[in-house]
Amino acid sequence: MNAPMQALKGSAKQQPKTSFAALWKPALRQAFVKLDPRQLVRSPVILVVELTAVLTTVLCWIPNPAVSTGLAVQIALWLWFTVLFANFAEALAEGRGKARADSLRAGSQGLTARRRTASGQFETVPAAGLRRGDVVRVEAGELIPGDGEVIEGIAAVNEAAITGESAPVIRESGGDRCAVTGNTRIVSDWLLVRITANPGESTLDRMIALVEGAKRQKTPNEVALDILLIGLTLIFLLVVATLQPFARFAGGDLPLVYLVALLVTLIPTTIGGLLSAIGIAGMDRLVRLNVIAKSGRAVEAAGDVHVLLLDKTGTITFGNRRCSAMIKAPGVAGKELSDAALLASLADETPEGKSIVDYLRALHAMQEPARDEITSIPFTAETRLSGTDWAGRSYRKGAVDAVLAWVGITRQEVPAPLAREIEKIAQSGGTPLLVAADGKLLGAIHLKDVVKPGIRDRFAELRQMGIRTVMVTGDNPLTAAAIAAEAGVDDVIAEATPEKKLARIRQEQGEGKMVAMCGDGANDAPALAQADVGLAMNDGTQAAREAANLVDLDSDPTKLLDVVQVGKELLVTRGALTTFSVANDVAKYFAILPALFAGIHPQLGVLNVMQLASPQSAILSAIVFNALIIIGLIPLALRGVRVQATDAAHLLRRNLLIYGLGGIVAPFVGIKVIDVLLNAVGLV
């Protein structure tokens, strides 16, 4: 097997062990490690549950005629069980990320690089010691030691270690496709790369930090939700604290164990136990999309985006104009035009020239002279045409006026059918090139911006989700309108400058809208920095990647739709489980309280609509239900609530119906079933 094939095979991404079977044991160990109160400070509600578990455990050793030791022990055990499974949910989500991080790290450990010295020689150094500005040489079969820009050479690079795509991509110096990513492998040839990231700042480093849930910073949404949960906890703490005075006033007494257990069942333990897992699992889904987030806020903001600005070149279109049609002049055979266009383009190394050659080769087979047999006529800004001389004949192609001048005729002398086609091409937003041979006008070539396949359907999906798309381009309004119509965007900004892009984003933000920007060029950098969500293509310019808060490793602009989906899933999942948790807590209050006070005033038994057997049974059933519901919701927290393309009002109604009503009904049904089972087996 040759070196490039070995490189291709060796660079296949190792699949991390992220199944439940592989993760549950380490997650269970971490659940016990997380019992350390210093770690639980990040989850105040669960910290309260742990403190109540400690207090209940202590009360088990203090004799109380109103509460049997067996009941107190059961309550304490279920409280500890609640804390452990809340920790388990977070550890399970973190375990997925850490497994992926270990897989990513494995490919970069012990990596070395050939760094160019001041004398122009190359020395072997550890890749971890490279700094921004260092220049390294990488050859076929070797890993690129860090993020950088190609300054010399052209090579096929396999990016499977980062993107998961095994098909190599071409990277070369100059232009917008010179960016390379660390830990990817060169399949053929060689590259001279200038490193653009210091240690800890590379794409791989950011990816590892992102997938390691323990290092993920809380987003503003999570902080706000934490504040809400703390507030609800304090409210229910006051509620529970006032129950004993009411009981004493009524001539009875509520044991401290009951009150502590009641507090745990009423505070929002469900969402408190799952909040971290929801956030970590959401970031894990983002990594699986091969998108690097520099901040969690950007992902959440994506869930609230109203307007999406997309740079046309390289984002909506492929980035270079391509040949789409050949139009022959009257009296000219199609083969004569094709042969002349091919010969005029053989020595043209521009993307447009290559597209003409590819188009004609695919059209039909033609006899091509060897490169050393032809004389190349390069394009210049003065002549505005290019071509070749071969076998005593001259072939030219170029701008309309330039070719007409070479042929020696005016626009008025162009045959009417050909003139109409040239005008039609211009009006459609394309670029007409004329083809001539030996002073004879043969026809025209239609060059056009080719819209990426499937992008129109993706924009339709965005529209269904209430997101308006705006194409941003430097083209004239006529060309811009034609491409916008083909792509299916809602609005267009033509003849756009960086200032125009910034002004539009600020205008939308001034109207209270969240704006996302997708781009890949240096001229997109200011807009990417200003937007609430800035998604840069990984193969774009360094300036764009640094300005954005999201980087797509696959360089697929339609990926923003998937990022929006993840953002919406994060917000909707938190909202759904918060709705369920609050409704759950309110229902438990009205389900348990009558049973507790019925022991003091039998007349209140009429309010015990659930017919719970006793106060002891009511408290223990509520504690058991409280623990089990967290276990039941772990899969939903990790998977996320699926969001379909619909409006916010429909989502709210759906959440209230499913999770609000479900949160009210579940405790009544669950606690009653557990009450029956506990009494059936004689545990109370």
Side-chain angles (χ1 to χ4, degrees):
M1 187 182 295
N2 57 34
M5 288 303 294
Q6 287 177 331
L8 186 63
K9 183 179 179 181
S11 64
K13 188 191 293 185
Q14 296 180 351
Q15 292 299 320
K17 297 179 179 179
T18 57
S19 65
F20 179 81
L23 295 177
W24 76 268
K25 287 184 179 179
L28 189 59
R29 285 194 297 270
Q30 281 298 309
F32 284 93
V33 172
K34 288 176 179 290
L35 290 175
D36 185 344
R38 292 170 297 184
Q39 293 200 36
L40 284 181
V41 167
R42 288 173 54 88
S43 183
V45 175
I46 301 304
L47 178 60
V48 170
V49 179
E50 183 177 48
L51 294 176
T52 58
V54 171
L55 177 58
T56 307
T57 304
V58 172
L59 293 174
C60 290
W61 299 94
I62 301 176
N64 187 335
V67 181
S68 68
T69 303
L71 179 63
V73 169
Q74 288 185 72
I75 291 174
L77 289 175
W78 279 106
L79 289 177
W80 283 114
F81 186 81
T82 302
V83 178
L84 284 172
F85 263 90
N87 290 346
F88 178 76
E90 182 176 9
L92 195 63
E94 288 176 358
R96 289 183 174 185
K98 288 178 179 177
R100 286 190 171 86
D102 292 340
S103 176
L104 291 169
R105 270 198 201 92
S108 60
Q109 289 176 347
L111 186 61
T112 59
R114 287 197 298 275
R115 182 175 60 188
R116 189 168 66 183
T117 63
S119 63
Q121 302 299 312
F122 288 91
E123 60 178 354
T124 301
V125 298
L130 294 175
R131 296 289 185 273
R132 187 191 299 266
D134 286 346
V135 175
V136 297
R137 181 183 173 91
V138 193
E139 297 183 352
E142 297 178 345
L143 288 173
I144 297 172
D147 291 0
E149 293 181 332
V150 179
I151 59 175
E152 189 177 336
I154 178 171
V157 179
N158 188 304
E159 298 183 340
I162 298 295
T163 67
E165 294 295 331
S166 59
V169 295
I170 300 300
R171 293 288 179 259
E172 57 186 323
S173 59
D176 288 346
R177 299 297 179 265
C178 63
V180 290
T181 306
N183 211 42
T184 57
R185 192 179 298 272
I186 291 188
V187 178
S188 66
D189 303 298
W190 60 273
L191 294 174
L192 208 59
V193 177
R194 179 184 292 112
I195 300 299
T196 57
N198 288 323
E201 300 174 355
S202 69
T203 298
L204 184 63
D205 292 323
R206 291 199 302 268
M207 199 168 186
I208 290 172
L210 178 64
V211 298
E212 287 188 313
K215 295 183 180 179
R216 187 184 59 87
Q217 297 298 313
K218 287 194 174 184
T219 65
N221 183 278
E222 287 177 286
V223 173
L225 192 51
D226 266 342
I227 294 172
L228 172 64
L229 299 184
I230 292 171
L232 289 173
T233 300
L234 292 175
I235 290 172
F236 281 116
L237 180 61
L238 290 173
V239 169
V240 172
T242 59
L243 290 179
Q244 185 67 291
F246 276 115
R248 294 279 176 83
F249 180 77
D253 184 73
L254 291 175
L256 183 57
V257 171
Y258 288 6
L259 293 175
V260 168
L262 181 63
L263 173 64
V264 172
T265 62
L266 295 184
I267 63 176
T269 51
T270 306
I271 185 62
L274 298 174
L275 183 58
S276 294
I278 294 169
I280 295 169
M283 302 305 279
D284 179 61
R285 289 196 294 276
L286 193 71
V287 170
R288 278 182 275 163
L289 291 174
N290 287 326
V291 175
I292 297 297
K294 297 181 183 178
S295 72
R297 184 186 181 280
V299 185
E300 291 194 345
D304 285 331
V305 162
H306 302 95
V307 182
L308 168 59
L309 273 69
L310 301 107
D311 181 58
K312 183 206 73 175
T313 306
T315 305
I316 292 177
T317 66
F318 279 104
N320 297 304
R321 298 196 167 204
R322 299 185 176 189
C323 177
S324 64
M326 309 289 294
I327 301 96
K328 62 183 182 178
V332 176
K335 188 174 187 315
E336 182 182 6
L337 172 60
S338 297
D339 287 345
L342 178 69
L343 289 166
S345 307
L346 274 178
D348 188 349
E349 295 298 329
T350 65
E352 292 81 4
K354 291 177 181 178
S355 78
I356 295 171
V357 173
D358 292 341
Y359 177 86
L360 292 170
R361 283 174 177 168
L363 202 60
H364 53 78
M366 287 180 280
Q367 180 103 23
E368 298 181 25
R371 280 295 188 90
D372 57 0
E373 296 177 5
I374 61 177
T375 302
S376 173
I377 309 298
F379 174 88
T380 67
E382 294 180 1
T383 62
R384 296 168 58 220
L385 51 77
S386 62
T388 60
D389 291 337
W390 176 63
R393 300 194 63 186
S394 298
Y395 303 92
R396 300 289 186 273
K397 74 172 192 312
V400 173
D401 292 338
V403 173
L404 290 180
W406 186 75
V407 172
I409 63 175
T410 64
R411 275 185 177 263
Q412 289 72 26
E413 295 175 287
V414 175
L418 182 59
R420 285 195 297 271
E421 291 297 329
I422 293 171
E423 185 66 22
K424 192 184 298 183
I425 292 171
Q427 288 179 351
S428 69
T431 300
L433 297 181
L434 292 185
V435 180
D438 296 329
K440 178 185 177 182
L441 184 61
L442 301 178
I445 299 171
H446 184 177
L447 292 181
K448 63 176 290 188
D449 277 318
V450 179
V451 173
K452 293 184 176 180
I455 202 165
R456 186 182 183 90
D457 294 336
R458 303 302 295 272
F459 288 160
E461 291 180 51
L462 285 170
R463 197 174 297 111
Q464 282 185 305
M465 298 174 77
I467 299 172
R468 189 159 44 87
T469 52
V470 181
M471 186 183 80
V472 182
T473 176
D475 290 338
N476 63 68
L478 188 64
T479 301
I483 296 172
E486 184 179 353
V489 296
D490 299 311
D491 198 1
V492 61
I493 303 174
E495 297 177 343
T497 61
E499 291 77 16
K500 266 191 177 183
K501 298 175 190 178
L502 272 178
R504 179 60 177 264
I505 291 174
R506 286 170 178 163
Q507 175 193 333
E508 299 282 0
Q509 289 173 332
E511 295 172 3
K513 296 173 183 174
M514 300 287 283
V515 182
M517 170 72 188
C518 186
D520 64 349
N523 63 335
D524 297 322
L528 287 168
Q530 176 67 34
D532 299 288
V533 180
L535 178 68
M537 304 297 101
N538 190 51
D539 62 2
T541 61
Q542 182 70 16
R545 296 199 306 273
E546 289 180 352
N549 46 26
L550 296 172
V551 179
D552 176 24
L553 299 178
D554 295 328
S555 299
D556 175 10
T558 62
K559 185 74 67 65
L560 192 55
L561 176 60
D562 299 313
V563 175
V564 168
Q565 188 78 9
V566 170
K568 284 187 178 295
E569 285 179 1
L570 272 178
L571 296 176
V572 172
T573 302
R574 285 202 194 106
L577 291 183
T578 301
T579 302
F580 182 90
S581 183
V582 173
N584 197 38
D585 296 334
V586 173
K588 282 184 287 186
Y589 182 81
F590 289 102
I592 302 168
L593 211 60
L596 283 182
F597 277 88
I600 300 174
H601 275 287
Q603 297 90 334
L604 293 177
V606 70
L607 298 178
N608 184 15
V609 293
M610 294 175 63
Q611 296 298 303
L612 299 178
S614 64
Q616 296 89 339
S617 177
I619 282 292
L620 186 56
S621 299
I623 285 291
V624 173
F625 174 82
N626 203 58
L628 296 181
I629 198 66
I630 294 178
I631 300 173
L633 292 174
I634 286 177
L636 181 62
L638 297 181
R639 186 181 68 249
V641 176
R642 295 291 178 256
V643 180
Q644 297 178 340
T646 184
D647 55 48
H650 180 270
L651 283 176
L652 179 61
R653 288 195 300 271
R654 177 175 174 270
N655 264 8
L656 290 176
L657 180 63
I658 297 176
Y659 299 99
L661 185 59
I664 293 174
V665 173
F668 285 98
V669 175
I671 291 174
K672 180 58 181 177
V673 170
I674 295 170
D675 174 72
V676 171
L677 292 175
L678 290 177
N679 283 277
V681 298
L683 290 178
V684 289

